[in-house]
Amino acid sequence: MARLIHRYDAQVIVIGGGVIGSACAFRLAQAGRDVLLLQFGTPERAASFGNAGHIATEQLFPLASAEVIRSSWRYLLDTDSPLRLRPAYLLALLPWLARFVWAARGKSFKRGVAGLLALQQSALVDMVDLLADADLAHLLHQRGHLEVWETPAGEAAVLAQAQRLGAYGIKTAPWALADLRSQLPELGQSVQGALHYPGSGHVEDPWAVCSGLHLALQHSGGRIRQGRALQLHADKGYANVLLEDGSRLQAQQLLVCAGAWSRPLAASLGYRVPLEVERGYHITVGKQADGVMPPRLPLPVASNERKVIMSSMSMGLRMTGTVELGGLHLPADPRRLDLLQRQLQAMLPGIDSRQASNWMGFRPSLPDHLPVLGAATRHANVFFAFGHQHLGLTLAAVTARAMAQLMHSGHSPIDLSPYSVSRFGG
Ligand SMILES: Cc1cc2nc3c(=O)[nH]c(=O)nc-3n(C[C@H](O)[C@H](O)[C@H](O)COP(=O)(O)OP(=O)(O)OC[C@H]3O[C@@H](n4cnc5c(N)ncnc54)[C@H](O)[C@@H]3O)c2cc1C
């Protein structure tokens, strides 16, 4: 019987050069694999380009919760609310919304918390290791962040949340108002208090993390190719990718890390994954009109009342926020950016943000707020790592360690069953 000889373009093809794909590709190359990273589009297209840079180790609660469901109905269609549904997208979103409501039930919510906790436990340590190995340690700061409040109700909410998180080992410490005024004198006088989360971190330029990982990948022998994957095929011993230009790339293993665009790639192999996008916006104030850079905050400042976080980065001061359910194709809503401008003026009165740059990005989100991680259940040589919602930067390094070991040795150091693609039955 004639033996089929496969010619491979690489041992492993990783699809998607955002923070998840870049971290996985680097870890695989470090493990000695011949890796090709297939990347499509400009940096700005990736959620990894414009995020808040927050290593949010304190975020353990999935968005799908009874609390969010209770409060969301009243402001989903309000143009000024932090959570918004674009009416033109409502019909397309209904199946995802139904699953989201289902995931908010007590038992599923608890499963979601356990799933996030298992990844968060080593997220920061993994990030420290990853950035050190890629020679990018200088990008990470570990001073924690502040949650501020402006009203007694805001204070009560911040303290209640801290108490809930404390039950899972998340540490917080009060910051005296006098310290807040002296260390962050630019903050508006409406801010009445703050709680410090010492265990979180932040990076000073999220895209510098990705581009640095690309370089580190190349130094470890990996390659990067521009191209858009359209379809995947897999059989015993090989897997291939059909590209938009009609060419095919063949590998022993494929890893799909295409963020918000992963759904059609998984579907081309028969996996029906209810992946949606939570659109988010940022404004970044670089040089102000007088040529002076905006004030530097010693650590990131988040407001639960305003649902925003602001952070000093190497390119200026960035405020991010808002969740907009509106799919991949509707244009950005300028009212969301106006809202961020108003929030910024309220929190840092007088900052000159007229020349701020604007951006909108796509958080890849499954209804239960857990990513899809692990092997494709019906194709031994295809793997998935996508759907990291609000936590892709935070969880990139732990994801990369788990996926690289799984793909290299067949065993993940973390139990990946809670994140299996099979949980959606597709
Ligand atoms: C406003 C905002 C603030 C955020 N803040 C934080 C934060 O502070 N901390 C945190 O942890 N997370 C944060 N996030 C979430 C985080 O940015 C995402 O979870 C993360 O960037 C997802 O990374 P990714 O690599 O999966 O996807 P992406 O970064 O979107 O990268 C996917 C890449 O794949 C490419 N691609 C897509 N389709 C194809 C194809 N067919 N072929 C080839 N390439 C393809 C895309 O062009 C893109 O470059 C934030 C997100 C937003 C929007």
Side-chain angles (χ1 to χ4, degrees):
M1 198 167 73
R3 271 184 57 217
L4 256 174
I5 312 254
H6 296 296
R7 287 186 51 238
Y8 299 115
D9 295 286
Q11 284 178 336
V12 184
I13 295 177
V14 177
I15 304 172
V19 71
I20 300 295
S22 308
C24 290
F26 172 56
R27 281 298 190 215
L28 281 158
Q30 273 199 313
R33 307 303 296 279
D34 165 33
V35 180
L36 176 67
L37 178 67
L38 182 66
Q39 163 59 12
F40 171 69
T42 57
E44 295 78 15
R45 188 170 185 259
S48 307
F49 173 83
N51 63 47
H54 181 41
I55 310 295
T57 47
E58 81 290 356
Q59 288 185 20
L60 298 179
F61 300 139
L63 193 67
S65 64
E67 205 183 318
V68 169
I69 303 279
R70 257 197 315 274
S71 52
S72 58
W73 301 115
R74 76 185 129 87
Y75 52 51
L76 267 176
L77 298 171
D78 171 359
T79 48
D80 251 8
S81 82
L83 174 61
R84 171 142 207 273
L85 198 161
R86 296 281 287 262
Y89 196 65
L90 178 59
L91 215 58
L93 190 70
L94 281 177
W96 186 90
L97 272 184
R99 285 184 187 258
F100 181 83
V101 172
W102 189 249
R105 291 167 313 131
K107 247 164 112 181
S108 315
F109 180 75
K110 273 194 192 143
R111 262 202 306 275
V113 176
L116 288 179
L117 189 60
L119 296 174
Q120 288 280 29
Q121 252 152 15
S122 66
L124 184 57
V125 173
D126 276 309
M127 183 58 78
V128 170
D129 288 349
L130 177 78
L131 295 182
D133 289 354
D135 214 6
L136 299 170
H138 57 282
L139 294 175
L140 178 68
H141 302 281
Q142 295 186 63
R143 298 183 208 121
H145 75 281
L146 293 176
E147 269 296 339
V148 299
W149 59 81
E150 294 166 75
T151 63
E155 175 179 10
V158 169
L159 297 182
Q161 178 81 337
Q163 197 175 17
R164 280 176 80 202
L165 288 169
Y168 296 95
I170 303 294
K171 294 195 170 46
T172 51
W175 260 47
L177 188 58
D179 292 342
L180 194 66
R181 297 266 186 257
S182 67
Q183 292 183 43
L184 290 100
E186 307 82 8
L187 273 186
Q189 294 297 310
S190 62
V191 173
Q192 294 301 311
L195 197 65
H196 185 214
Y197 281 77
S200 65
H202 73 280
V203 299
E204 60 182 47
D205 181 346
W207 188 250
V209 172
C210 290
S211 54
L213 286 169
H214 294 169
L215 269 183
L217 166 67
Q218 288 166 315
H219 287 151
S220 309
R223 288 164 290 148
I224 300 180
R225 176 174 165 161
Q226 280 291 323
R228 182 186 198 166
L230 283 190
Q231 267 180 29
L232 314 181
H233 298 268
D235 209 330
K236 285 199 180 70
Y238 81 95
N240 70 44
V241 188
L242 171 67
L243 270 63
E244 196 174 34
D245 64 9
S247 61
R248 274 183 199 277
L249 292 173
Q250 189 130 296
Q252 289 169 350
Q253 293 177 320
L254 288 184
L255 173 60
V256 179
C257 304
W261 298 269
S262 301
R263 188 167 64 182
L265 295 175
S268 70
L269 286 172
Y271 298 92
R272 288 156 54 93
V273 186
L275 182 71
E276 263 300 335
V277 300
E278 293 177 47
R279 296 146 61 114
Y281 292 76
H282 88 208
I283 53 174
T284 304
V285 184
K287 272 200 182 120
Q288 302 172 93
D290 57 4
V292 176
M293 290 297 279
R296 267 200 87 75
L297 303 176
L299 72 180
V301 175
S303 163
N304 182 47
E305 285 159 301
R306 297 180 182 275
K307 303 278 186 279
V308 292
I309 180 164
M310 54 186 183
S311 198
S312 284
M313 296 196 166
S314 50
M315 77 300 279
L317 188 126
R318 175 170 294 174
M319 175 176 269
T320 61
T322 84
V323 167
E324 185 184 61
L325 300 167
L328 282 166
H329 304 296
L330 290 175
D333 183 346
R335 290 171 299 185
R336 305 267 88 198
L337 294 161
D338 289 348
L339 177 64
L340 281 183
Q341 283 280 3
R342 279 182 272 134
Q343 306 285 28
L344 183 62
Q345 288 301 331
M347 292 190 72
L348 290 179
I351 185 171
D352 179 359
S353 54
R354 287 170 296 175
Q355 296 180 11
S357 60
N358 300 324
W359 175 83
M360 179 188 72
F362 302 108
R363 303 178 185 97
S365 294
L366 280 313
D368 59 4
H369 253 212
L370 293 180
V372 173
L373 300 178
T377 38
R378 299 186 295 278
H379 299 86
N381 42 9
V382 178
F383 298 81
F384 297 129
F386 61 80
H388 290 74
Q389 35 98 358
H390 297 232
L391 292 172
L393 172 65
T394 307
L395 301 179
V398 61
T399 296
R401 178 168 63 90
M403 294 306 298
Q405 282 194 35
L406 175 69
M407 293 175 68
H408 190 54
S409 69
H411 301 287
S412 161
I414 294 167
D415 173 17
L416 295 181
S417 56
Y419 321 102
S420 170
V421 70
S422 65
R423 70 187 192 270
F424 303 110

